DNA sequence: TGGCCAATTTGCGCTGGCGCAAAGACGGCC
DNA sequence: GGCCGTCTTTGCGCCAGCGCAAATTGGCCA
């Protein structure tokens, strides 16, 4: 694990939505209670059901938040990247994590004890308000996905999932926009509430139409605009 | 519209999760900026897309939060009752309402301008933290429903919806537990991401088995335990 | 370079749930 | 008491998507 100097960490915190608008002195105080932690690829930050004692801010890497049903079905809630907060929702509730978080690339984090964050919020209302705004934004997003899951066909939802991933981790190259992380058919299925078979069939069809290029755990998008049309169920 | 005296309103606020733990002086200050507003049955507090300028606490009645898709499908996010807060999520974001709120019985509310609530939160961190806890709880609930929608059969989801309604508005009578509000097949369909036809078929079947009694816009549950088993996909 | 394993593809049959249409039931109102 | 509108039921045909199974591909490691 690489060491980070305070200046670097302060800059990261400053850009993180949770700490926006707070004076440097406050950030510095927050950093005093934080420690960095590294998670290798495919390790877990925490598992669903464990006591929610730690709050993270992701510095580097990508992670996946998933929920496992009693029947063994896995559902992906969202992917997170640098600057994202993990665990605010449970930081002040003293319960267990409702989801698991898995590092899908090597990850570096800043970690706080949940109590520390609660105290900081009591001390700095701004921090609590930022957290509220953050959770509110995610809530609205989840609400939208809920509605899509309830009313749209699988093909539309897969298109939306890819468009979301483009926004989050899309990397423009000469051969198209590449989703810059390992992404299997199963992963896409868990994002959209369907099966890997159906995802495979849909991607094959799109590949024949030249919209995308699908490889092993990788997707390259040639015509994002076509995906927008598919997502909105418009004729092509 | 009936008038309410301060003592009564203070008592309500005191019981509302949002204001828990705040001193009476603060509640009194909050009340000074509030006004009561009445919504007759089937009228709307606000519509999806309108500027989110008002924040409500429901004093009496029941309301339904719904989202309408571009294709005209309606999705119900949740039902609310006395003491519930409506619009916290957008109170401090200065955007538009992502949902509509409809009074399904006559409703009385306390209403604040969104700015007022924001200012109160800046002044009293406790209020912001309460709000965060509230939204966090709803988030976890929505996440659970999202997972259910993604992985369970319609029958299970309808059973869960009924069980949720029992918890919220169930009234024990000698003929069974009655859901104490008008509730059509269409309403249940919008709660579970299905169609009124499928809901009707499922309820008919349950009625034949003696689990429930389904009337016009009304459901009486005789054996809630059977619904639990159905929800969890256990043999009966 | 060859072998192994995980990921992916695709055929096939099946079914849960959709959605139209028409009939029936209920409740409110004049 | 009768009428009307809304809600509900149910038959019927259909299809999107599931899920097994088997073949294929591709990457990685020794």
């Amino acid at each position: 694990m690489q060491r980070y100097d305070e200046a670097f960490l302060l800059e990261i915190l400053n850009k993180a939505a949770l700490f926006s608008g707070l004076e440097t002195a406050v950030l510095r105080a927050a950093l005093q209670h934080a420690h960095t932690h590294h998670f290798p690829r495919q390790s877990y930050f925490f598992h669903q059901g464990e006591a929610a004692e730690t709050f993270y801010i992701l510095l580097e890497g990508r992670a996946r938040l998933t929920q496992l049903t009693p029947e063994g079905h896995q559902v992906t809630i969202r992917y997170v990247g640098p600057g994202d907060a993990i665990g605010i929702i449970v930081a002040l509730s003293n319960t267990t994590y409702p989801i698991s978080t898995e590092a899908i690339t090597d990850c570096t984090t800043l970690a706080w004890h949940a109590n520390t964050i609660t105290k900081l919020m009591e001390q700095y209302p701004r921090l609590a308000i930022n957290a509220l705004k953050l959770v509110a934004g995610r809530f609205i997003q989840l609400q939208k996905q809920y509605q899509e899951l309830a009313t749209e066909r699988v093909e539309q939802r897969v298109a939306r999932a890819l468009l979301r991933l483009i926004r989050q981790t899309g990397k423009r190259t000469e051969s198209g926009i590449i989703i810059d992380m390992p992404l299997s058919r199963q992963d896409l299925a868990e994002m959209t509430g369907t099966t890997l078979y159906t995802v495979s069939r849909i991607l094959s069809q799109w590949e024949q139409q030249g919209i995308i290029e699908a490889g092993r755990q990788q997707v390259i998008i040639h015509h994002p605009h076509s995906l927008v049309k598919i997502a909105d169920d418009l004729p092509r």
Side-chain angles (χ1 to χ4, degrees), chain A:
Chain A
M1 172 171 31
Q2 180 193 342
R3 286 219 64 74
Y4 297 94
D5 61 12
E6 195 189 33
F8 175 76
L9 293 175
L10 281 176
E11 202 186 311
I12 295 256
L13 285 196
N14 211 11
K15 276 188 287 193
L18 183 61
F19 289 98
S20 89
L22 286 166
E23 308 101 62
T24 311
V26 180
L27 301 193
R28 204 167 269 140
L31 270 185
Q32 294 219 323
H33 298 95
H35 57 275
T36 59
H37 200 290
H38 187 79
F39 294 94
R41 193 177 168 200
Q42 295 190 345
S43 69
Y44 279 79
F45 288 32
F46 49 79
H47 286 92
Q48 179 175 349
E50 290 175 4
E53 291 171 344
T54 313
F55 163 79
Y56 301 91
I57 286 202
L58 191 49
L59 298 178
E60 286 183 291
R62 254 169 218 291
R64 180 165 62 144
L65 280 49
T66 59
Q67 209 167 20
L68 195 66
T69 75
E71 286 81 32
H73 288 113
Q74 192 150 359
V75 174
T76 297
I77 302 296
R78 68 189 180 109
Y79 283 85
V80 293
D84 282 329
I86 301 167
I88 323 181
I89 287 178
V90 278
L92 30 74
S93 70
N94 246 83
T95 51
T96 57
Y97 293 110
I99 51 161
S100 303
T101 297
E102 181 191 2
I104 53 168
T105 66
D106 287 0
C107 285
T108 317
T109 62
L110 269 179
W112 285 263
H113 192 90
N115 291 344
T116 313
I117 289 293
T118 309
K119 275 184 208 133
L120 283 172
M121 282 187 192
E122 281 163 356
Q123 211 172 338
Y124 306 103
R126 178 79 212 203
L127 188 62
I129 291 175
N130 282 349
L132 182 52
K133 279 188 188 171
L134 215 61
V135 176
R138 283 196 215 153
F139 190 92
I140 291 174
Q141 173 64 30
L142 183 60
Q143 221 170 43
K144 189 166 153 265
Q145 282 178 236
Y146 181 79
Q147 176 248 87
E148 288 162 5
L149 185 57
T151 61
E152 298 183 348
R153 280 172 304 107
V154 172
E155 194 189 20
Q156 296 176 266
R157 306 203 303 266
V158 174
R160 287 195 197 286
L162 282 181
L163 290 169
R164 229 180 310 132
L165 289 171
I166 288 178
R167 241 174 294 131
Q168 284 180 19
T169 76
K171 214 169 153 186
R172 166 154 264 126
T173 69
E174 70 279 356
S175 61
I177 302 170
I178 192 168
I179 308 284
D180 196 18
M181 66 180 204
L183 182 76
S184 69
R185 308 295 180 270
Q186 178 70 34
D187 294 335
L188 275 169
E190 287 173 6
M191 287 181 77
T192 51
T194 179
T195 62
L196 78 120
Y197 308 109
T198 301
V199 169
S200 175
R201 283 183 251 265
I202 289 172
L203 294 194
S204 294
Q205 190 193 327
W206 289 348
E207 191 157 25
Q208 281 194 344
Q209 300 170 6
I211 300 173
I212 64 162
E213 201 178 319
R216 198 184 173 83
Q217 302 205 76
Q218 198 188 64
V219 180
I220 300 172
I221 292 95
H222 292 136
H223 292 296
H225 194 63
S226 298
L227 291 184
V228 174
K229 288 204 166 171
I230 291 168
D232 290 340
D233 204 20
L234 301 173
R236 269 153 283 151

